[in-house]
Amino acid sequence: MNQITMTGSRQAASPATHRSAAIALRTALANLPMIALGLLLGAAFLTGHLAATTAGLALAGLSLLVTVVVLVFARRQLRADPRSASFARLAAGLAIATLMMALASDALLLTAAWIVTGRLMAGLIGHVGEWSEARDAARRANISFAIGDLALVGAIVILSLGAGSSDIAAISAAVPAMVGPQLTLAAFLLVIAALARCALPPFSNWLMRSLAAPTPVSALMHAGFVNAGGFLLIRFAPALEAVITARSALFVAGIVAALVGSAIMLVRSDVKGALAASTVGQMGFMLLTVALGAYPAALWHMVAHGLFKAWLFLGSAGTICTAPTRAKSLPKPWPAIIALATLAAATTLIETQHADALLPVGLALTALLCALVVAMRAMPRGPVGLFVAVTPIVLIALNAAALAIMTGLQPSAAQPLVSPYAQVVLLSLFLAGWIWQQQVVSGEKALPRPLYARLIHAGSTIPA
């Protein structure tokens, strides 16, 4: 009797054992790509193909910090998702590939890591595979990333052949001796690769469609992925600086993206949609800053925006806004006062000969002054009110200190693209547009209906 019982137990346990072994095997196989990326990163370090640069360390630090936070957040938010393990693997692989891209001293290694990050992000965007919206979003992302990848490969091939080496330092040193047309083509291809990765028009469609992905994926995009276009252009800054037409095209593209992103954000009522549109605008500002040659300001923008926007996305899942639209605007005459204060600060920068990054610094100051006004209006009495009032002032001081530190670590371009006075003119135009935006938000003015319809459907009706 005991023997029969034991035999039956072994037979019953056998299928369960087989299932456990099969699951373990599938898990091991699924982990192989991530393990391979880790081994490749280690091999690159041991063979001397990694180098610490200011831009690389900024991107690597941003990626590591945001990825760790997102993985901790996703453990709870995706605990009922059967694909949560797949998300964790893709997120970890994306972080490893981003580290490799950020620290690579060889252009071919950087390009390979760039391509891998694109494929991993497309996989994350299509996380909910049975949902047609997610599949379509992943398809659009793959198309945009493929265009950017091909542009980067073309640029790196041209630069490597011209320098006789794929080492980034050697390429930078050889740029002055390169032939004009080939260098021009390489610079424009680098700009295209950056536009595709930063989701600037005409590539912004993939970012607006990526809202079909879970919230942790949206936050993870800012962990060095969507910001990587600025890093790429700073890493190959000598090639960009040598071709003034490429810098000018980047400058115009940044202005267009800033305007388009801000306009879409103005009409989107969904939180994630507004945040995604804001990213398009912010990436426009970042690349505009790169085009101006203010690399320290662009790097600090990359880090600060990545951290802040990832935090906003992680909090968007529990956000419910019941305030009327008018409550989101500043009352008169605050917009005009802030604009005048910004222009006065810009004049001071010109007088003190610190106006290389006048436009982006002026826009950042405008945002911080807005935060200060909002804090003052919502300030309660007592210690809490004091804390609310002091916070924006502390933020202004921290941003100024961080920008000063970044300026000491990362030099700007030798030749600025636009004179300080031209930047004042552009800053005045942006401030005028911002004041008009405040009037629209407050209900004083309204967008034309065709424009409103076009903006509110941006990202869903524009063909890939």
Side-chain angles (χ1 to χ4, degrees), residues 62-365:
L62 173 65
S63 176
L64 280 178
L65 178 59
V66 176
T67 301
V68 170
V69 173
V70 168
L71 285 174
V72 173
F73 177 88
R75 285 189 63 186
R76 295 189 62 186
Q77 204 206 34
L78 301 181
R79 61 185 178 273
D81 190 334
R83 299 183 184 85
S84 58
S86 174
F87 168 84
R89 282 191 292 268
L90 288 175
L94 180 63
I96 295 171
T98 302
L99 285 176
M100 194 182 311
M101 177 178 68
L103 301 176
S105 62
D106 187 274
L108 297 179
L109 180 62
L110 185 151
T111 304
W114 175 281
I115 295 172
V116 170
T117 56
R119 302 286 77 75
L120 291 173
M121 180 52 70
L124 286 166
I125 291 173
H127 178 80
V128 189
E130 69 275 6
W131 189 19
S132 60
E133 288 287 336
R135 292 197 302 271
D136 181 63
R139 179 183 64 83
R140 291 169 185 259
N142 271 315
I143 292 173
S144 295
F145 298 162
I147 294 172
D149 294 347
L150 289 173
L152 179 59
V153 169
I156 295 305
V157 168
I158 293 172
L159 293 174
S160 298
L161 290 176
S165 171
S166 61
D167 184 77
I168 297 177
I171 290 174
S172 299
V175 162
M178 289 187 186
V179 182
Q182 285 133 347
L183 183 59
T184 299
L185 177 59
F188 272 98
L189 289 174
L190 287 172
V191 169
I192 292 172
L195 296 183
R197 183 56 61 95
C198 290
L200 267 64
F203 302 103
S204 55
N205 187 259
W206 75 261
L207 182 61
M208 298 304 299
R209 297 291 289 183
S210 69
L211 301 179
T215 298
V217 175
S218 299
L220 206 58
M221 284 179 190
H222 296 80
F225 182 82
V226 76
N227 304 281
F231 157 80
L232 176 72
L233 294 178
I234 293 173
R235 200 75 176 89
F236 292 95
L240 185 66
E241 292 172 20
V243 183
I244 192 68
T245 52
R247 287 181 70 186
S248 301
L250 181 66
F251 183 74
V252 173
I255 292 177
V256 170
L259 295 175
V260 170
S262 300
I264 296 174
M265 181 182 66
L266 185 64
V267 302
R268 291 296 290 254
S269 58
D270 58 314
V271 177
K272 288 181 68 175
L275 290 176
S278 169
T279 293
V280 174
Q282 290 296 324
M283 290 299 99
F285 284 125
M286 183 184 71
L287 293 189
L288 179 154
T289 307
V290 173
L292 289 173
Y295 304 142
L299 281 179
W300 176 238
H301 189 150
M302 177 184 76
V303 174
H305 173 261
L307 293 173
F308 185 58
K309 192 58 68 67
W311 174 65
L312 289 178
F313 266 113
L314 292 179
S316 66
T319 301
I320 299 175
C321 182
T322 58
T325 304
R326 185 171 299 180
K328 301 176 184 178
S329 63
L330 295 177
K332 288 183 176 181
W334 280 112
I337 293 174
I338 291 174
L340 289 175
T342 301
L343 290 175
T347 304
T348 303
L349 287 175
I350 292 177
E351 293 296 329
T352 57
Q353 298 183 348
H354 290 85
D356 290 344
L358 188 150
L359 179 58
V361 169
L363 294 172
L365 178 61

Side-chain angles (χ1 to χ4, degrees), residues 40-68:
L40 182 59
L41 179 63
F45 173 75
L46 293 175
T47 55
H49 287 89
L50 300 182
T53 62
T54 301
L57 291 175
L59 183 67
L62 173 65
S63 176
L64 280 178
L65 178 59
V66 176
T67 301
V68 170

Side-chain angles (χ1 to χ4, degrees), residues 395-420:
L395 287 175
I396 293 175
L398 287 176
N399 275 275
L403 183 57
I405 293 172
M406 198 68 76
T407 302
L409 297 174
Q410 173 68 52
S412 296
Q415 183 66 36
L417 178 69
V418 179
S419 70

